[in-house]
Each structure stands twice: as structure tokens, then as C-alpha cells.
Amino acid sequence: KSAYRLHLIIWKWVTGSDPKDEIDHRDLDGCNNRWSNLREATRSQNGANISLTCRNTSGFKGVSFCRPTSRWRASIRKNGRLYFLGDFDTPQEAYAAYVIKAKELFGEFARIK
């Protein structure tokens, strides 16, 4: 006996086929399976559309404090590759660099808030 996730059933019902990779919930609510909230995504795109984790201490996605330099570091990952965006004087400056790169790499999948 197999268990199926509701968003996958809805996807197949509406499109007639399985998704190529994954299904992403635009609003991050895994219970909101309205068709307008679902979109096909690669694993990397799906990973870009996440909110801040509980481990984040800067308050900004993609920003961490670098103790050796005493500066704020911006970085982002896509398809396993880490992009180092630089060290900055403030977390806001680091976040601005993150936002630019996130939009470049992920387009509509970039969750910048």
C-alpha cells in the first residue's frame, strides 16, 4: 500500500502527468493545495523558496556573522554550489547582495522575505 501526497495527486489530476521534479507551494503552506499555489520546481528552486530557519541569527536570509573578519557575510547555494557574495559592514548590506543574487539565480522562486 502506498501513500500519496495530496499536491501530487492534484498535479496529476489537473495536468494528466507526473511532475518532472518536485512541486513547490508558492506561499510555503504545504496544506494549501489550491492549483494557483502549486508549481513545478527543481529541488534547488524548491529549496530557494523557504523562509528563515530557526538557526538564523542575523534576521536576514543568506547572511551570517563571520567572527574571523568581524563582518557580515552573504552567501547563497544553488545545485550544491556555494556562491560567496562578500563580507560587509552591516547585515543590511550583506542582505542587499543576497537579494540581487537570489533574484538572478532563482527568479520567481527566490524568497527574499
Side-chain angles (χ1 to χ4, degrees):
K1 185 176 179 178
S2 297
Y4 292 95
R5 299 181 113 174
L6 184 56
H7 60 274
L8 294 174
I9 293 170
I10 292 169
W11 186 269
K12 186 157 186 155
W13 180 50
V14 172
T15 67
S17 61
D18 292 324
K20 293 176 197 147
D21 291 307
E22 298 183 359
I23 298 299
D24 178 53
H25 292 81
R26 293 176 195 269
D27 68 0
L28 305 180
D29 180 357
C31 294
N32 179 1
N33 289 306
R34 290 185 180 99
W35 178 247
S36 61
N37 191 45
L38 303 178
R39 61 184 170 182
E40 258 186 312
T42 65
R43 176 159 304 259
S44 191
Q45 289 170 325
N46 210 349
N49 186 31
I50 61 170
S51 57
L52 285 177
T53 67
C54 63
R55 292 177 24 200
N56 182 293
T57 58
S58 72
F60 296 96
K61 192 171 177 184
V63 177
S64 59
F65 187 71
C66 180
R67 287 188 180 171
T69 63
S70 294
R71 299 182 80 205
W72 295 93
R73 177 164 289 171
S75 62
I76 191 168
R77 187 177 298 274
K78 182 177 182 185
N79 295 329
R81 178 178 173 197
L82 180 65
Y83 294 83
F84 171 69
L85 306 176
D87 288 337
F88 301 86
D89 293 328
T90 68
Q92 292 84 1
E93 290 173 325
Y95 182 64
Y98 172 85
V99 168
I100 291 167
K101 193 67 171 179
K103 287 179 179 179
E104 175 190 322
L105 292 175
F106 295 107
E108 70 173 296
F109 290 90
R111 174 148 313 263
I112 54 173
K113 299 267 180 189

